[in-house]
Amino acid sequence: MNLFLKYLTVLGMAALPVLELRGAVPYGVAMDLPLLPVLAVSILGNMLPVPFIILFIRQVFAWMKRKSVWLRGIAERLESRAHAKGDILVKYETLGLFILVAIPLPGTGAWTGSLVAALFDLRMKNALPAIFLGVVAAGLIMSVVSYGVDMLI
């Protein structure tokens, strides 16, 4: 696989839900790519869907609920999960959103943070910086886990 395709794959993995940056950074390690470009491409890829989620997820959920019972169930489960994670947002506001995104565990990340921000009516100008800083923090954590502390020095 050529170098461009490797980085394009890292970008695509980082943009996907569930995998996000948590999967893209270790993939970059497996492909023997250098840390800083992998981190930059992963952050970019992870942030690509964020504004679209914040702006359009409510309309997408409304469409899903109208379209079929099966899609309604999916939308309601996602809304329920976001509301459960929203406690941290209610308590700590944008700092809570940063924490939610920064912890690189399943059920957290930019997708979840964007969904929570949208459902709790957090303004884009407040949500984007918190999510971006959370993605950067998660990227640094994953870099240490994937590349080791000695790579950062």
Side-chain angles (χ1 to χ4, degrees), residues 6 15 26 28 43 49 61 67 70 75 81 85 87 90 92 96-97 101 106 111 115 130 132 134 138 141 143 148 153:
K6 288 179 182 179
I43 290 169
F61 283 171
K67 195 68 177 163
W70 182 72
R81 263 195 245 161
K85 303 234 184 243
D87 292 344
V90 170
Y92 299 107
L97 184 58
V101 175
W111 278 76
L115 178 59
F132 175 74
I141 293 167
S143 295
I153 300 173

Side-chain angles (χ1 to χ4, degrees), residues 37-69:
V38 165
L39 187 56
V41 169
S42 295
I43 290 169
L44 175 65
N46 208 180
M47 287 301 296
L48 280 174
V50 169
F52 300 103
I53 295 168
I54 293 172
L55 290 174
F56 301 117
I57 197 64
R58 287 178 162 210
Q59 293 92 326
V60 170
F61 283 171
W63 175 84
M64 289 171 72
K65 289 176 183 177
R66 286 191 314 270
K67 195 68 177 163
S68 75
V69 174

